[in-house]
Amino acid sequence: MGWITGHTYVAYGPLSLGMTEVIFEGIPTWPHAGRFWEMIQKHKVTTFYTAPTAIRSLIKLGADLPAKFDLSSLRLLGTVGEPINPEAWMWYHEHIGRGRCPIVDTWWQTETGSNMISPLPGAVPTKPGSCTLPLPGIMAGVVDEAGHDVEKGKGGFLVIKRPFPSQLRTLWGDPERFRKTYFPEELGGKMYLAGDSTHQDDDGYFWIMGRIDDVLNVSGHRLGTMEIESALVANPRVAEAAVVGKPHEVKGEAVMAFVVCKGARPEGEEARKLVSELRDWVGKEIGPIAKPDDIRFGDNLPKTRSGKIMRRLLRAIAKGEEITQDVSTLENPAILEQLKQAVQ
């Protein structure tokens, strides 16, 4: 409930419109891996809203599982919390929406108070992996480090250029920090800086590439972690991937990937072969500079109960640091020891 989705779009938003809600608490694989689909069938749910991380977790279990349930009541699918890669989007569309339900991929933040960039179902054509266009009245743009608009197809900072009704007004007791964080002078002091990197295609559609601080500097090349993760997940063997930077005395930073495979976790010779295959795969998809130096395989990734990957824990593993942070919100604390093991 501490996140914006929890109160605005679960508690008072839908209820103020007279909607009936089915709220799920727990993990989607207990007491069995078809829990989501069982609830949709039982309660005739019409709108299903979840996170890309949850979708990718369920892809690992196979498409035959949701096929066992009657999902014909669904008319609309939603996704929130992080960018959704095209492969997960297509799986969601084909196997959950059965090819007939629009997917509303929403971009917004706790600070914005409501959706900012999102397709209007039935009115705005969707593209797998894009949150599409700003909602009416939202003046979003992509700018460089000096606040100038960038060309279509080129990456930059996602900004909102004009005030909007639901925006945050200050930070409690620290208005100066509010101004410096969200309306920095470097961008002219008048644009809301979202903290995400993005680009627009020729149709003006927005493609979120990840957080500005989720950028690796490998031998002077700036690489987005989301870009590498998306390339890994495009491999037919991979269900989920998380990428972080690992200190490197020559490159500055090296790419380290944590991978969850479809089916059983590979070990021994199979794992070594897959590491080589995935490195070559990323090299082909992005370029040799993006090849992961280190790939670790796990049965899962460290996630909160709401499905968020706890990347700070992965960064600690990559740096070889002792994990001293609070892990009480982790759904699966035991996975950390597994991910510390390098492929031998």
Side-chain angles (χ1 to χ4, degrees), residues 31-160:
H32 60 84
R35 185 78 192 279
F36 277 173
W37 324 129
E38 180 185 60
M39 288 193 301
I40 290 171
Q41 175 180 278
K42 179 180 178 181
H43 299 291
K44 299 291 185 286
V45 171
T46 59
T47 303
F48 181 59
Y49 196 35
T50 190
T53 302
I55 296 167
R56 287 190 288 265
S57 298
L58 295 163
I59 289 174
K60 181 190 174 192
L61 303 173
D64 56 336
L65 193 60
K68 296 176 182 176
F69 297 89
D70 179 7
L71 305 182
S72 61
S73 62
L74 287 173
R75 63 176 183 81
L76 193 62
L77 302 176
T79 174
V80 67
E82 60 185 323
I84 183 169
N85 55 294
E87 288 73 25
W89 194 102
M90 289 304 301
W91 189 91
Y92 196 29
H93 183 256
E94 291 172 10
H95 298 292
I96 308 307
R98 308 285 159 86
R100 56 182 176 75
C101 298
I103 295 178
V104 179
D105 177 8
T106 56
W107 178 85
W108 52 309
Q109 301 175 312
T110 294
E111 296 93 328
T112 67
S114 62
N115 286 176
M116 298 282 104
I117 306 175
S118 169
L120 294 169
V124 175
T126 53
K127 296 183 182 184
S130 170
C131 52
T132 70
L133 302 169
L135 292 169
I138 304 302
M139 316 300 268
V142 187
V143 301
D144 61 19
E145 293 173 346
H148 302 129
D149 290 331
V150 301
E151 299 173 30
K152 297 277 180 66
K154 289 193 175 181
F157 299 155
L158 175 57
V159 297
I160 302 174

